[in-house]
Amino acid sequence: MKRRTFLQQFGSIFAISTASEIGWLLPGSIDYQALAESSPRKLALLIGVNNYLKIPALTGCLTDVELQRELLIHRFGFQASDILCLTDEAASRDLIEKAFFEHLASQCKPGDVVFFHFSGYGSRIKSENALIPVDGFLNVENNQVANYLLEDTLLLMLRSLPTEKVFAVVDASYNAASTANLQNRGLAIRTHLTDANINIATSEIDLQKELKNKIATTPPALVVSATSNAKQSAQEIQMTGFSAGIFTYALTQYLWENTPTTTINMGLARIENAIRQLGSNQTPNLFNAKKTSLRLNFSDSLLANSDIGAEGAVTAIEDTGKTVQLWLGGISPLILEYYGVNSRFRIIPSDNSQLQSLNLRSPVNNSQDIITQNKVSPEILLRSRSGLIAKATIVDNSFTPQVGQLIQEVVRVIPRNINLNIAIDNSLERIERVDATSGFATVNHVSSIIVGEQPADYIFGKLPETKTKDSLSQSRYGLFSITGELIPNTSGEVGEAAKLAAQRLNPKLQTLLAAKLWRITNNEASSQLSVKVVLEATNSNTPQIIMQRETNPYRHAHSLSSISTGTHLQFRVENKTSQIIYLMLFGVDSSKNPLALYSWQMHPLEKNTETTTSATQPSLQNISIEPGATITIPQITPSVEWVLQGVSEICETQVILSTAPFTQTIAALTNTKLTPVEQSRIMALANPSEVTLALLQDLHNASTSKKDISDVYMWDVNNWASFNFVYQVV
């Protein structure tokens, strides 16, 4: 059927065989009529292509489709029968177009919700951005023609829909000029280089002309994509057992845990921060940003069926109700990779009256409230996990779970033996790879892996050779992010042996390991400690909010992603509970050097005694916050300020709070042998991995009386809150 016919016969349906193959309901059926009567209706078309016919395969696009499908069903109330998925061979150019007009355009009405997603290769052709379907190339009269879906065509198709609630996600990128080095390292990049002699199909141009005459009067669709400029590439993240698009994973995980009433721009800023934590420099792009209201939020576009955040949902009931299958799409990939057996979740009841009586993720004011809340909330115990899918048993046999019920974290179980995984660049010579592997084997808590076989935190490789006036300079070894950016201060000298280079990196590796472990403590969306943490600029008389986070209920605001060098910073922390809580602060600066907040204080008895001598020195003490109190850190005085410095790089700060003192962490900090002063200061951290391991143990001790557990940490959401602030120095 020609494309012109699709537009002329806008209301036609698929043949019965085609519909049954693709799997949606036919108009005229009882089920179809019942769904059509509901208002508003929610329709989705999800497209993912891993296995292309003529170009290298991708690995995470089908996972993206599943991530979106589970999110739409369980978080936003889409009917499974209203979600059409086209994957691999079903995602041909003609079927994509046919599905769009038949499944979306012919069924949606004003006020309905439409969601479109594409994961696969993108490309540039004749100065146009384009998405590549599975059959991206055609031979027409012995000439190869690109059978692409142009970006402009997609935008026109979305504008042709008779509803203003249209949300589209594109996880692909277009400019392949800067991706060759990444692809040589074995990384999956969703960009394909199209030869200059390949032309756009004439049918594509004809379709655009037809669509321009049929644009609806509705505003432009809300469209977000994985990258915002030509120098960035849409990349996949590899996890144990599966891969996914970094952007799609970060987007869907954010929408699981966060309040849908958050503005789109605010949400994209948080998603960008999450992407940076995953080692990518991708900046999500909002199409028609000037025409999109700043007040527009995710709920306006998708009409969320619940304002309660969650880590996942019950997707199946097994063993006569004793076992449930879970989808864990709301857990950050940094944490999910290590999420262990015996972790606990609470199930959110489906009945609204029960839900209100439980008051889940509302402020918990005292220990009795915590006991009561945990008692009335049915809990499940994680027994096994494979990727995003887990099996759990019901703790209370009197409770009957239901498919679709949301789950929230209660206890997180994490293994103690977490290493930093360094992938050896595939482009190195074999002898270099063997040498580097031998070098990393001597570094504590570091594992060397092969690119593509296991999830990697960083890549060990060579800097590109540089041309001088007379010759080509020799390359040097360095450490890179998974998207190829050189980690500051990791490049060596020309002629350095690979083994020595690996060993030279030990101090930097210990810092990066510590930062990885800090991130695994993140729980601002699930924590039951009621606290507010605000990052402020103090250059003026009135502090200016840069970022703001609040737990129980979870809120965030003012998520600026860049801060000017020279900015004076402080954190303002409010304890909204009825108990004393304790605070630690760690971070890495723009050069990836470790930092910590040292709280030196004179002992109260020493301050007030007349026998204090010059030999008496301040000691490191826990920073405590009284119930209802607010403190600022570090303590700002005319002689002590926290001033942001450095080059244009990413900085990161972790603020961690606990119901118990950080006894072992303070002891480890004391081992740094820094000269004490009589005030709190943010200073260099000499032993980051040692201090961080002590921190994890302190969180464990605060959460359980079982101090003898040798192979795991157990952290209870009622006992800790951990916030990660990521920002770029500009």
Side-chain angles (χ1 to χ4, degrees):
M1 185 181 290
K2 295 182 179 179
R3 292 176 183 173
R4 183 183 301 270
T5 308
F6 286 118
L7 295 172
Q8 293 172 344
Q9 300 178 1
F10 216 56
S12 63
I13 63 171
F14 282 111
I16 294 177
S17 60
T18 304
S20 63
E21 288 171 4
I22 299 178
W24 66 61
L25 296 174
L26 290 173
S29 69
I30 295 176
D31 290 335
Y32 179 93
Q33 292 173 353
L35 289 172
E37 290 173 359
S38 63
S39 181
R41 194 173 179 187
K42 298 181 178 182
L43 299 164
L45 174 59
L46 312 179
I47 301 163
V49 186
N50 278 344
N51 299 306
Y52 281 86
L53 298 181
K54 297 184 178 180
I55 51 181
L58 295 169
T59 58
C61 299
L62 271 59
T63 304
D64 289 0
V65 168
E66 197 64 19
L67 285 166
Q68 293 285 20
R69 183 179 182 275
E70 297 294 334
L71 174 78
L72 295 177
I73 292 173
H74 300 296
R75 193 75 174 91
F76 292 100
F78 280 62
Q79 296 293 326
S81 53
D82 281 334
I83 301 175
L84 175 61
C85 302
L86 299 182
T87 57
D88 283 348
E89 66 273 8
S92 66
R93 179 64 181 80
D94 283 346
L95 280 179
I96 290 173
E97 191 172 304
K98 187 167 186 173
F100 187 94
F101 290 124
E102 295 289 351
H103 182 61
L104 301 181
S106 68
Q107 297 194 83
C108 80
K109 300 175 182 178
D112 285 349
V113 174
V114 172
F115 185 85
F116 176 90
H117 178 94
F118 178 88
S119 283
Y121 278 115
S123 189
R124 291 279 291 175
I125 178 169
K126 307 301 181 185
S127 301
E128 296 273 356
N129 291 341
L131 307 178
I132 305 181
V134 69
D135 58 342
F137 302 96
L138 297 175
N139 288 315
V140 179
E141 297 178 355
N142 296 322
N143 293 319
Q144 197 168 39
V145 174
N147 196 29
Y148 294 173
L149 174 62
L150 295 183
E151 183 182 86
D152 286 345
T153 305
L154 174 61
L155 296 177
L156 289 169
M157 292 166 68
L158 296 170
R159 286 293 304 274
S160 72
L161 298 172
T163 178
E164 62 181 19
K165 292 180 173 22
V166 180
F167 190 7
V169 176
V170 176
D171 199 342
S173 51
Y174 307 109
N175 193 334
S178 60
T179 63
N181 189 40
L182 298 177
Q183 290 170 332
N184 288 340
R185 287 175 171 164
L187 302 178
I189 306 298
R190 295 180 176 179
T191 305
H192 176 72
L193 180 63
T194 299
D195 292 339
N197 60 346
I198 295 180
N199 295 313
I200 300 172
T202 55
S203 57
E204 186 77 5
I205 306 302
D206 292 341
L207 177 60
Q208 286 192 8
K209 292 178 181 178
E210 294 274 358
L211 287 167
K212 288 176 181 178
N213 295 326
K214 295 181 177 292
I215 291 178
T217 58
T218 56
L222 179 68
V223 183
V224 293
S225 62
T227 60
S228 60
N229 66 63
K231 294 183 179 180
Q232 298 176 351
S233 300
Q235 190 173 341
E236 298 186 340
I237 181 173
Q238 183 180 4
M239 305 284 289
T240 299
F242 71 98
S243 296
I246 287 181
F247 172 58
T248 298
Y249 202 155
L251 170 67
T252 55
Q253 191 267 325
Y254 172 85
L255 290 175
W256 271 103
E257 283 200 324
N258 287 265
T259 303
T261 53
T262 304
T263 65
I264 298 293
N265 287 338
M266 189 75 68
L268 289 179
R270 290 304 312 277
I271 293 165
E272 180 182 347
N273 284 348
I275 290 172
R276 285 176 172 175
Q277 288 185 18
L278 296 173
S280 173
N281 66 347
Q282 293 176 221
T283 302
N285 180 47
L286 175 61
F287 284 64
N288 298 312
K290 294 182 180 179
K291 297 181 181 180
T292 303
S293 171
L294 294 176
R295 293 171 294 178
L296 187 64
N297 56 52
F298 290 105
S299 186
D300 289 338
S301 302
L302 295 173
L303 301 181
N305 60 349
S306 172
D307 287 338
I308 295 177
E311 278 66 60
V314 176
T315 56
I317 310 295
E318 302 173 358
D319 192 22
T320 64
K322 297 179 181 178
T323 302
V324 294
Q325 180 173 291
L326 306 175
W327 178 262
L328 301 179
I331 300 177
S332 164
L334 294 170
I335 299 169
L336 181 69
E337 183 68 19
Y338 300 101
Y339 218 82
V341 170
N342 293 324
S343 295
R344 285 187 177 234
F345 299 92
R346 64 169 59 91
I347 295 180
I348 303 175
S350 302
D351 183 79
N352 288 333
S353 62
Q354 283 185 300
L355 184 61
Q356 292 173 1
S357 67
L358 292 179
N359 198 23
L360 297 177
R361 285 196 178 169
S362 59
V364 177
N365 295 318
N366 54 55
S367 58
Q368 185 60 44
D369 289 342
I370 293 173
I371 294 171
T372 301
Q373 187 182 77
N374 287 347
K375 184 177 180 180
V376 298
S377 303
E379 291 188 1
I380 53 177
L381 191 65
L382 192 71
R383 290 306 188 190
S384 64
R385 183 182 63 82
S386 177
L388 290 154
I389 299 173
K391 296 289 183 68
T393 54
I394 308 297
V395 175
D396 182 0
N397 291 329
S398 65
F399 173 75
T400 303
Q402 300 175 21
V403 171
Q405 288 182 312
L406 301 180
I407 60 171
Q408 294 177 333
E409 181 179 47
V410 175
V411 174
R412 184 181 303 176
V413 176
I414 298 293
R416 293 174 181 265
N417 58 337
I418 297 177
N419 287 347
L420 193 71
N421 295 325
I422 306 299
I424 310 298
D425 193 336
N426 286 342
S427 64
L428 295 180
E429 298 292 337
R430 182 180 181 279
I431 185 61
E432 293 176 297
R433 297 197 299 271
V434 171
D435 231 14
T437 300
S438 175
F440 285 121
T442 66
V443 181
N444 290 333
H445 308 297
V446 172
S447 300
S448 59
I449 62 174
I450 299 174
V451 175
E453 291 190 0
Q454 293 175 260
D457 297 307
Y458 297 92
I459 299 173
F460 176 80
K462 283 184 175 179
L463 281 70
E465 295 178 335
T466 57
K467 293 182 179 180
T468 63
K469 187 174 181 179
D470 300 319
S471 62
L472 191 68
S473 67
Q474 293 182 344
S475 59
R476 299 169 292 159
Y477 294 109
L479 197 66
F480 300 84
S481 71
I482 62 171
T483 51
E485 290 82 30
L486 178 68
I487 304 301
N489 302 325
T490 63
S491 58
E493 299 295 330
V494 173
E496 181 183 33
K499 181 176 182 177
L500 295 179
Q503 294 171 334
R504 169 181 56 80
L505 290 170
N506 181 28
K508 188 67 70 178
L509 295 173
Q510 298 307 313
T511 297
L512 297 176
L513 171 64
K516 175 180 178 177
L517 296 175
W518 301 335
R519 297 180 195 124
I520 291 175
T521 69
N522 286 352
N523 76 332
E524 59 190 63
S526 64
S527 175
Q528 293 295 296
L529 280 185
S530 294
V531 294
K532 179 191 288 186
V533 181
V534 182
L535 177 61
E536 300 175 327
T538 61
N539 295 61
S540 60
N541 293 331
T542 304
Q544 302 296 312
I545 296 177
I546 298 173
M547 300 180 186
Q548 178 175 304
R549 311 284 170 76
E550 184 174 357
T551 62
N552 198 18
Y554 176 45
R555 299 188 184 99
H556 64 83
H558 301 85
S559 293
L560 300 180
S561 58
S562 59
I563 307 176
S564 300
T565 184
T567 299
H568 295 224
L569 299 176
Q570 72 175 18
F571 279 99
R572 180 163 45 89
V573 184
E574 179 183 357
N575 178 5
K576 302 175 73 174
T577 75
S578 59
Q579 58 186 320
I580 297 175
I581 58 175
Y582 302 86
L583 180 146
M584 278 288 164
L585 183 149
F586 300 101
V588 289
D589 63 16
S590 60
S591 297
K592 295 295 182 287
N593 296 318
L595 304 171
L597 175 63
Y598 291 81
S599 179
W600 280 294
Q601 301 174 28
M602 295 292 293
H603 193 279
L605 294 178
E606 292 177 342
K607 283 185 177 182
N608 299 323
T609 182
E610 296 180 358
T611 60
T612 300
T613 66
S614 58
T616 303
Q617 290 186 328
S619 60
L620 284 175
Q621 303 291 330
N622 271 282
I623 299 175
S624 61
I625 311 176
E626 295 293 324
T630 299
I631 66 169
T632 57
I633 53 173
Q635 299 169 353
I636 304 298
T637 67
S639 60
V640 178
E641 290 183 305
W642 179 20
V643 181
L644 191 62
Q645 298 176 339
V647 295
S648 181
E649 290 288 346
I650 301 298
C651 295
E652 188 173 343
T653 307
Q654 195 83 29
V655 178
I656 305 168
L657 301 114
S658 174
T659 56
F662 292 96
T663 306
Q664 296 195 26
T665 310
I666 292 294
L669 284 171
T670 304
N671 292 336
T672 57
K673 307 298 183 183
L674 290 175
T675 302
V677 294
E678 288 191 45
Q679 52 196 176
S680 298
R681 291 190 182 183
I682 293 179
M683 302 177 68
L685 178 60
N687 55 343
S689 58
E690 176 190 347
V691 169
T692 301
L693 292 175
L695 169 78
L696 303 188
Q697 183 62 43
D698 279 331
L699 294 179
H700 173 85
N701 294 345
S703 298
T704 178
S705 59
K706 298 178 180 179
K707 306 298 190 295
D708 58 343
I709 298 177
S710 59
D711 57 345
V712 297
Y713 298 111
M714 300 180 68
W715 304 328
D716 191 311
V717 296
N718 296 303
N719 296 101
W720 106 98
S722 183
F723 303 83
N724 183 271
F725 294 83
V726 180
Y727 43 92
Q728 184 168 18
V729 181
V730 294

